[in-house]
């Protein structure tokens, strides 16, 4: 298939029109008429992912995070973004991004996250998209666990369901608090903390929570417990879903497209150093 045909099928799933006005989604580099037989899915368009893509001879890399989101005046190979662009073009490898359009899609990034941390049954948007009359699209998801568990148990369940990262899952709340309803938001979700409180959930799991908003939030008597995951880890589950949906969309076409989920961990925080006092650990319940 051509790149144009593959991206057309992908955009039928994750419509670029759903992206936020400030976002930069779509084709970053690549000839729409070039053939595509190998597609690598990754969260970040960084050097290590490009290394993996070129070693596998990928024709297309689909990432969640944009490469050129901020203002860019040059893609000279003297900078990291320019080097990524030059390497991909020299190799004939295209780069495509689905960011906030994949966040708001149904199913989207937060649906995959919700399933990985154990939510079952129907999911609804935490912040519904007002342009979707069906009420299925939106940022974040709200759902329930199959059985009520302690916050301690849910934290371990979430950590075990997500990709392993140095920082683990940080938790704010009484470890013995019981958790039934949960809100999740893949990626940076501190702007939705108040929305999660209004939703009446027992816990809110997201990424990139800041100290002051989080410490003030948990002081509220009706506030849910907070679970803070690595940004990369909370969005990585979407890659499997995106690849599967694209393969399904292409099924029946006269093509043989291979997909691969990047095995390169791109969490910015690759190490965490703790003291011998083990301060702040969240131990398993005693048996």
């Amino acid at each position: 298939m051509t790149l144009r045909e593959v991206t057309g099928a992908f955009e039928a799933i994750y419509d670029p029109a759903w992206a936020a006005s400030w976002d930069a989604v779509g084709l970053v580099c690549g000839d729409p008429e070039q053939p595509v037989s190998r597609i690598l899915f990754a969260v970040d368009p960084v050097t290590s992912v490009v290394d993996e893509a070129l070693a596998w001879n990928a024709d297309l890399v689909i990432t969640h995070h944009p490469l050129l989101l901020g203002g860019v005046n040059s893609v000279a190979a003297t900078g990291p973004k320019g080097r990524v662009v030059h390497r991909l073009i020299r190799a004939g490898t295209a780069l495509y991004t689905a960011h906030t359009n994949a966040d708001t899609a149904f199913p989207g990034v937060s649906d995959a996250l919700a399933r990985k941390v154990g939510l079952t049954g129907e999911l609804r948007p935490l912040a519904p998209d007002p342009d979707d009359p069906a009420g299925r699209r939106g940022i974040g998801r709200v759902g329930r666990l199959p059985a009520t568990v302690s916050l301690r148990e849910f934290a371990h369940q979430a950590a075990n369901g997500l990709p392993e990262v140095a920082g683990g899952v940080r938790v704010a709340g009484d470890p013995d608090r019981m958790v039934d309803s949960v809100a999740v938001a893949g990626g940076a979700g501190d702007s939705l903390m108040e929305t999660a409180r209004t939703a009446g959930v027992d816990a809110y799991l997201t990424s990139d929570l800041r100290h002051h908003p989080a410490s003030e939030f948990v002081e509220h008597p009706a506030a849910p417990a907070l679970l803070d995951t690595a940004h990369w880890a909370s969005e990585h589950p979407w890659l499997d879903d995106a690849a599967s949906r694209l393969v399904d969309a292409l099924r029946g076409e006269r093509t043989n497209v291979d997909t691969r989920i990047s095995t390169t961990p791109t969490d910015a925080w690759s190490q965490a150093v703790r003291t011998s006092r083990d301060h702040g650990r969240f131990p398993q319940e005693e048996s």
Side-chain angles (χ1 to χ4, degrees), residues 39-44 46 48-53 55-56 61-62 163-164 232 236 239-240 259-267:
I39 306 171
L40 178 71
F41 286 79
V43 174
D44 299 296
V46 294
S48 57
V49 169
V50 174
D51 291 340
E52 181 182 2
W56 187 56
V61 180
I62 295 179
E164 185 176 359
W232 170 80
H236 190 274
L239 303 179
D240 276 309
T259 61
R260 173 173 170 169
I261 307 304
S262 173
T263 58
T264 303
T266 55
D267 180 25

Side-chain angles (χ1 to χ4, degrees), residues 9-273:
F10 199 67
E11 290 180 352
I13 305 169
Y14 305 107
D15 190 338
W18 298 339
S21 59
W22 50 263
D23 207 358
V25 302
L27 188 62
V28 179
C29 65
D31 181 350
E33 303 308 321
Q34 72 185 68
V36 171
S37 60
R38 287 188 170 190
I39 306 171
L40 178 71
F41 286 79
V43 174
D44 299 296
V46 294
T47 299
S48 57
V49 169
V50 174
D51 291 340
E52 181 182 2
L54 301 192
W56 187 56
N57 295 318
D59 304 300
L60 169 62
V61 180
I62 295 179
T63 63
H64 182 50
H65 290 148
L67 176 66
L68 307 175
L69 181 59
V72 176
N73 297 317
S74 170
V75 288
T78 52
K81 292 181 183 293
R83 283 194 292 273
V84 164
V85 171
H86 279 259
R87 290 185 66 198
L88 290 172
I89 291 176
R90 281 198 301 267
T93 302
L95 174 63
Y96 185 94
T97 294
H99 191 210
T100 52
N101 52 323
D103 287 328
T104 196
F106 175 79
V109 172
S110 291
D111 295 276
L113 171 61
R115 299 309 186 201
K116 282 294 186 180
V117 301
L119 302 190
T120 58
E122 183 179 357
L123 300 172
R124 60 181 175 86
L126 176 60
D129 183 344
D131 294 326
D132 177 23
R136 305 175 80 187
R137 295 198 313 269
I139 302 300
R141 292 294 181 267
V142 175
R144 292 187 177 278
L145 297 169
T148 302
V149 298
S150 68
L151 176 59
R152 176 187 289 104
E153 290 176 279
F154 176 59
H156 283 286
Q157 177 176 304
N160 290 330
L162 294 173
E164 185 176 359
V165 291
V169 175
R170 301 188 300 176
V171 183
D174 179 355
D176 294 319
R177 172 181 184 157
M178 302 310 292
V179 175
D180 171 45
S181 58
V182 177
V184 303
D190 61 351
S191 65
L192 293 172
M193 285 196 296
E194 185 60 28
T195 307
R197 186 183 71 80
T198 303
V201 296
D202 301 313
Y204 175 44
L205 184 149
T206 188
S207 303
D208 298 347
L209 294 179
R210 294 170 294 154
H211 172 78
H212 292 298
S215 61
E216 293 171 6
F217 181 80
V218 295
E219 289 291 310
H220 195 287
L226 294 176
L227 295 94
D228 184 56
T229 73
H231 192 122
W232 170 80
S234 72
E235 294 176 331
H236 190 274
W238 171 75
L239 303 179
D240 276 309
D241 190 53
S244 177
R245 297 191 74 198
L246 179 59
V247 168
D248 286 344
L250 298 177
R251 187 166 291 146
E253 302 286 348
R254 291 180 297 171
T255 181
N256 182 20
V257 175
D258 292 330
T259 61
R260 173 173 170 169
I261 307 304
S262 173
T263 58
T264 303
T266 55
D267 180 25
W269 310 107
S270 60
Q271 300 176 62
V273 179

